[in-house]
């Protein structure tokens, strides 16, 4: 069966510090991978998606970036965090296109102070 | 612009009191509608995918239905462990392929 991992589970960072969140998927090959942010009172916002190694599409212009160095690894980064980057970050995978069911990881709670 | 609206925002039920959650959508062309359950501090857990009007799916006390403009998540004789936020999302034809999520319905079931 497929499993998706995210770490860290929680993170408290000062404004201006760098960020690296990691997501890995087990039990499948060549998945589509997604990064979402969930803010209080708002729906899930798609940040990035990837259909293969090195292929990243950005949905929202911001100071975040994503990379996919390996088939089942997806990384969300920032060089300098802003207060507005606080939120709950979720990684998801699907076996194919967007129309396929997406399965979510446990999430990372990021607080920027 | 594709939109998904869930109602009510919050719902309180007594254990055993059946009810329904609504997800209405305005999209250029529906490919699929998805229901998720999310517990506090956790990632959404997949429940159902519906693809065409008239389709129904069931899982334990939950039943999801789909029409051309909305979906309902029926909860029969709920238990306290059904308390969670229920999210609805749609995928659409044409344009940017992505899931559009509603803001969710927070369900509380009191014993």
């Amino acid at each position: 069966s497929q499993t998706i991992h995210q770490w860290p589970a929680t993170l408290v960072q000062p404004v201006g510090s760098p960020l690296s969140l990691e997501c890995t998927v087990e039990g499948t090959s060549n998945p589509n991978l997604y990064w979402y942010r969930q803010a209080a009172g708002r729906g899930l916002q798609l940040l990035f998606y990837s259909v293969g190694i090195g292929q990243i599409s950005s949905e929202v212009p911001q100071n975040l970036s994503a990379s996919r160095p390996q088939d089942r690894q997806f990384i969300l980064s920032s060089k300098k965090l802003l207060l507005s980057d606080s939120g709950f970050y979720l990684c998801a995978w699907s076996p194919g296109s967007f129309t396929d069911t997406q399965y979510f990881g446990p999430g990372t709670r990021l607080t920027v102070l | 612009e594709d939109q998904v609206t869930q109602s009510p925002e919050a719902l309180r039920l007594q254990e055993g009191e059946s009810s329904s959650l609504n997800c209405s959508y305005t999209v250029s062309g529906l490919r699929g509608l998805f229901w998720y359950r999310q517990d506090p501090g956790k990632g959404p857990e997949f429940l159902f995918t519906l693809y065409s009007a008239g389709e129904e799916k069931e899982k334990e006390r939950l039943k999801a239905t789909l029409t051309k403009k909305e979906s309902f998540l029926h909860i029969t004789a709920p238990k306290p462990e059904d308390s969670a936020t229920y999210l609805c999302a749609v995928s659409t034809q044409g344009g940017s392929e992505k899931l559009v999520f509603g803001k969710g319905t927070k369900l509380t079931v009191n014993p």
Side-chain angles (χ1 to χ4, degrees):
Chain A
S1 63
Q2 299 83 14
T3 307
I4 180 168
H5 303 279
Q6 286 186 246
W7 63 89
T10 60
L11 191 60
V12 180
Q13 292 286 90
V15 169
S17 63
L19 174 73
S20 181
L21 303 181
E22 189 166 343
C23 169
T24 59
V25 181
E26 296 178 353
T28 187
S29 297
N30 196 30
N32 278 14
L33 296 172
Y34 312 85
W35 278 113
Y36 288 87
R37 178 168 57 204
Q38 187 175 37
R42 301 182 63 180
L44 272 74
Q45 179 186 36
L46 179 64
L47 303 175
F48 301 95
Y49 67 92
S50 171
V51 298
I53 296 174
Q55 301 179 61
I56 309 294
S57 297
S58 174
E59 286 291 312
V60 181
Q62 60 217 325
N63 68 321
L64 299 173
S65 62
S67 62
R68 184 171 177 173
Q70 300 180 38
D71 181 45
R72 290 169 289 177
Q73 183 184 31
F74 205 22
I75 297 172
L76 183 69
S77 303
S78 174
K79 293 182 179 179
K80 290 185 178 182
L81 284 168
L82 306 173
L83 286 174
S84 57
D85 291 324
S86 293
F88 192 46
Y89 287 83
L90 290 157
C91 181
W93 76 274
S94 70
S97 72
F98 278 99
T99 57
D100 291 335
T101 299
Q102 294 183 20
Y103 300 92
F104 287 84
T108 295
R109 172 69 62 187
L110 172 65
T111 303
V112 183
L113 301 176
Chain B
E1 182 181 347
D2 299 328
Q3 285 190 331
V4 176
T5 303
Q6 292 187 245
S7 62
E9 292 184 10
L11 180 63
R12 286 185 175 272
L13 300 173
Q14 288 299 123
E15 185 172 1
E17 179 186 3
S18 302
S19 188
S20 297
L21 312 182
N22 178 262
C23 171
S24 62
Y25 57 90
T26 305
V27 298
S28 53
L30 181 72
R31 279 188 167 172
L33 185 140
F34 306 85
W35 281 100
Y36 291 87
R37 168 195 170 125
Q38 186 173 25
D39 293 306
K42 297 188 177 181
E45 173 190 348
F46 169 71
L47 294 174
F48 305 108
T49 304
L50 302 168
Y51 290 106
S52 57
E55 189 175 0
E56 298 182 352
K57 288 193 176 176
E58 290 187 65
K59 179 181 180 180
E60 296 181 352
R61 294 176 294 281
L62 300 177
K63 178 180 178 180
T65 61
L66 180 64
T67 71
K68 289 186 177 180
K69 293 187 176 182
E70 59 191 348
S71 176
F72 292 94
L73 184 65
H74 306 279
I75 303 176
T76 302
K79 298 181 178 181
E81 53 262 42
D82 294 322
S83 297
T85 295
Y86 291 84
L87 302 173
C88 172
V90 298
S91 62
T92 63
Q93 300 173 355
S96 176
E97 289 195 19
K98 63 180 180 181
L99 290 188
V100 180
F101 279 85
K103 295 182 180 181
T105 293
K106 183 177 181 181
L107 174 66
T108 303
V109 181
N110 297 313

